[in-house]
Amino acid sequence: MEDGQSKIHLLEKVYYEGCPGCKIEKRKDTQEEIPWKTLISIWIIVLCNALPISSLFPFLYFMIRDFHIAEREEDVGYYAGFVGSAFMLGRALTSIFWGMLADRYGRKPIIIIGTIAVVIFNTMFGLSVNFWMAISARFLLGSLCGLLGPAKAYISEICREEHQAVGMSMITSAWGIGLIIGPALGGLLAQPAEKYPHIFSKESLFGRFPYLLPCLFISIFATIVTISAFWLPESLHMHKSKNTPGDESYEELEAASRKTCEESIGIEDKERGVNPEKSLYKNWPLISSIIVYCVFSLHDMAYTEIFSLWAVSPRKIGGLSYSSEAVGVILSITGFGMLINQLFLYPSFSRYLGPVMVTRICGVLAIPVLQSYPFIALLSGLSLSILLNSASAIKNCLSEQHQRGAANGISMTFMSLFKAIGPACGGALLSWSETRQDVAFLPSTHMVFTLLNVVEIVGVLLTLKPFLVERKN
């Protein structure tokens, strides 16, 4: 009987008074409803992180042009690529560091630091007066805004297991909304003295700093988010177990269970002839997946940079001569289509065909769409607008899906690194292709879109066996 009572006691959870993590656990165990209030707060925080990433693309070409660092129009894309890469490079270098701090000091402080970084460095970017100031501001913003990983961890900790999918979909939708609102803000609010001379004079603050208004708008929103984040409940356990013999807390039971699970995995590895201590490095399904994610990440970021710069480039060098406002509208329509796809279409196809097969099909279908862009540029008027918006929406719906799987710190670091390489390479390739107007083989922008397709083809080939090995359940 005593043994039975002891076993029952071991299964009881022990909640430590004053521990925020225990408070969250107790709420999860006693309340079955979804914590909508907290989820909406995280949704707004992720949106705050997404806006500065996408808002600069409509006006980046004009900003670099105004810095007078490029000697020729064809060189603008080269310098713009480095500005586009700076944010992701900063994130790649610090994402693991911020994750470690979040595990030690809590999710909430890291989230608040991230929103404060948006306030300061996004405003600094809008006030940039030269190329190096712009790069520094974007790099510091990426380095200090490490809230995406902690936000995902926070969602997993505040939601019951049956509500995890709802919580993670909140992050997906916030990111999608950011891809809609961000370009719209950048396109509509940049260069306000030129677009709205009856409201903003050239001698005003926004006339002297033509790219400050969209950045300031986002920074004001981030300020409000920062203040509200102070009321966000912490989810990390902050206590030390001081139990008498035979009195084990839930934390210790969970650790014991995890150890047992790891030992079981080790036995399975030994049966397959794999050393458990080195199994992480020999986990080819994981490593091959990360490589595929990285290749597609490079392609997607290079494409985003190239498309925005190509659309605003003069027609005489192969562009469309679009305004920042027009590009912002296109990117917003594209973002809306991508959001609808992520929430409704992709999950159904993924369940039916599997994520790897969907990635292969999307990669193959994206190739002719991407190669059609130089021919679309030959059009004008309404036909150009309709076809360009349609092609852009389709192309983006056919990408991004492969990024759903990578969530841990190592994969996020490598993906951020490749996302940093993408814009730099994309901008340089666009500048080079725009100098090739009269060559016989793949003239002008035909070359840059062909090279993008080469990367797409490599990504598709890497999803095939024997390279990509899907983990068996």
Side-chain angles (χ1 to χ4, degrees), residues 186-398:
L188 295 172
L189 300 183
Q191 302 167 306
E194 295 181 17
K195 295 175 182 174
Y196 318 108
H198 56 290
I199 301 177
F200 304 97
S201 67
K202 291 186 177 181
E203 290 74 28
S204 67
L205 177 66
F206 299 113
R208 290 183 287 118
F209 299 97
Y211 310 103
L212 173 61
L213 185 57
C215 297
L216 186 62
F217 191 95
I218 294 172
S219 295
I220 292 173
F221 173 68
T223 301
I224 298 172
V225 172
T226 300
I227 295 172
S228 63
F230 280 95
W231 281 270
L232 196 69
E234 179 57 67
S235 64
L236 187 68
H237 286 277
M238 296 181 178
H239 60 73
K240 293 183 179 180
S241 302
K242 295 180 180 180
N243 301 324
T244 57
D247 182 16
E248 295 182 29
S249 68
Y250 172 68
E251 184 183 43
E252 290 171 319
L253 287 172
E254 188 178 42
S257 175
R258 190 183 304 113
K259 182 178 179 181
T260 303
C261 179
E262 289 173 353
E263 288 174 349
S264 299
I265 294 173
I267 292 173
E268 293 176 3
D269 287 340
K270 286 180 179 179
E271 291 176 353
R272 295 195 303 266
V274 180
N275 184 346
E277 296 179 357
K278 297 182 180 180
S279 60
L280 175 64
Y281 304 100
K282 294 188 177 181
N283 187 348
W284 185 244
L286 174 63
I287 299 300
S288 61
S289 296
I290 291 177
I291 294 173
V292 172
Y293 296 153
C294 288
V295 171
F296 279 118
S297 294
L298 185 150
H299 174 275
D300 290 343
M301 288 303 296
Y303 164 77
T304 302
E305 182 86 3
I306 288 170
F307 178 85
S308 302
L309 297 175
W310 166 69
V312 298
S313 297
R315 277 192 173 271
K316 64 181 181 180
I317 58 174
L320 300 177
S321 295
Y322 269 29
S323 65
S324 60
E325 184 178 3
V327 175
V329 170
I330 293 175
L331 294 180
S332 295
I333 294 173
T334 298
F336 179 75
M338 186 187 300
L339 178 63
I340 297 299
N341 181 56
Q342 288 180 338
L343 294 179
F344 302 106
L345 300 179
Y346 175 78
S348 299
F349 284 111
S350 182
R351 282 194 298 269
Y352 183 71
L353 298 173
V356 175
M357 180 57 68
V358 171
T359 299
R360 291 172 187 159
I361 294 173
C362 289
V364 172
L365 293 178
I367 293 172
V369 175
L370 198 58
Q371 205 63 45
S372 70
Y373 279 3
F375 299 100
I376 292 176
L378 300 175
L379 304 174
S380 61
L382 183 61
S383 58
L384 170 61
S385 179
I386 292 175
L387 282 177
L388 186 63
N389 277 280
S390 300
S392 177
I394 293 171
K395 170 62 183 72
N396 280 273
C397 287
L398 294 174

